[in-house]
């Protein structure tokens, strides 16, 4: 994942794992992965080629945030929404790189954690807080994002699901596309989380407007 490596604090790519979020949690807890820079400015990535059936993009993104922000029930629900918007930013950015008008894909976030394309589910998001050993002032936010990239129609998990290749022609191979999207996600997450940490309540208002 050369594009992602250029922009992320760290990239761990494995051939297969049951869950990239579980792998990320374990690595943070046992110290085999150092937490990224504080405040959302840095993002690390755990990626896998195989997590279940089908050609899909499955990556977890790790950011270090103030513990008070993650624990604040008045604003922390927006962290999943931020991840969703970052995924949409990334999909649109990658499609633009491929010369595709993303408006034709009907991309949207279904509150709070499902990605849709042309009215069908394209992917999903799972966010988890992970305490950092020896650090009471900050914690890790682990964001698992799964996106169907090149799953044939007859192998989709449900009739309500879809895959990007079914809507867009001329895309690069799944690994290249995954790298493009993941790099865009890192950039968007870093920017969005940094803004959120700087003023969570003002950022929450902006996000509320963005969802309307």
């Amino acid at each position: 994942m050369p594009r992602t490596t250029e922009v992320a604090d760290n990239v761990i790519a494995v051939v297969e794992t049951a869950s990239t979020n579980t792998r990320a949690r374990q690595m943070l807890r046992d110290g085999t992965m150092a937490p990224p820079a504080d405040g959302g400015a840095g993002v690390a990535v755990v990626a896998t080629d195989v997590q279940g059936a089908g050609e899909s993009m499955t990556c977890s993104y790790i950011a270090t945030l103030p513990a008070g922000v993650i624990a604040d029930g008045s604003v922390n629900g927006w962290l999943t929404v931020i991840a969703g918007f970052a995924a949409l930013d990334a999909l649109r950015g990658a499609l633009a790189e491929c010369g595709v008008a993303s408006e034709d894909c009907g991309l949207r976030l279904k509150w709070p954690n499902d990605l849709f394309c042309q009215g069908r589910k394209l992917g999903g998001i799972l966010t988890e807080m992970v305490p950092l050993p020896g650090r009471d002032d900050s914690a890790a936010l682990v964001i698992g994002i799964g996106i169907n990239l090149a799953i044939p129609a007859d192998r989709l998990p449900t009739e309500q699901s879809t895959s990007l290749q079914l809507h867009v022609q001329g895309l690069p191979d799944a690994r290249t596309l995954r790298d493009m999207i993941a790099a865009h996600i890192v950039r968007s997450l870093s920017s969005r989380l940094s803004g959120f940490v700087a003023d969570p309540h003002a950022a929450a208002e902006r996000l509320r407007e963005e969802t309307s």
Side-chain angles (χ1 to χ4, degrees), residues 60-129:
S60 291
Y61 305 83
I62 305 122
T64 303
L65 304 179
V69 171
I70 291 181
D72 187 346
S74 67
V75 294
N76 60 12
W78 290 103
L79 292 170
T80 299
V81 177
I82 286 174
F85 281 139
L88 292 183
D89 291 342
L91 284 164
R92 290 166 179 149
L95 290 175
E97 282 190 59
C98 298
V100 176
S102 60
E103 292 81 1
D104 299 337
C105 298
L107 295 169
R108 70 179 183 90
L109 176 67
K110 183 179 179 182
W111 182 279
N113 62 347
D114 287 330
L115 302 169
F116 271 66
C117 175
Q118 297 291 7
R120 293 179 179 271
K121 185 175 177 179
L122 183 66
I125 298 157
L126 174 66
T127 56
E128 304 176 68
M129 187 274 285

Side-chain angles (χ1 to χ4, degrees), residues 158-173:
T158 70
E159 292 182 0
Q160 290 73 43
S161 302
T162 194
S163 182
L164 198 60
Q165 70 162 6
L166 301 178
H167 303 272
V168 182
Q169 302 300 314
L171 293 174
D173 64 89

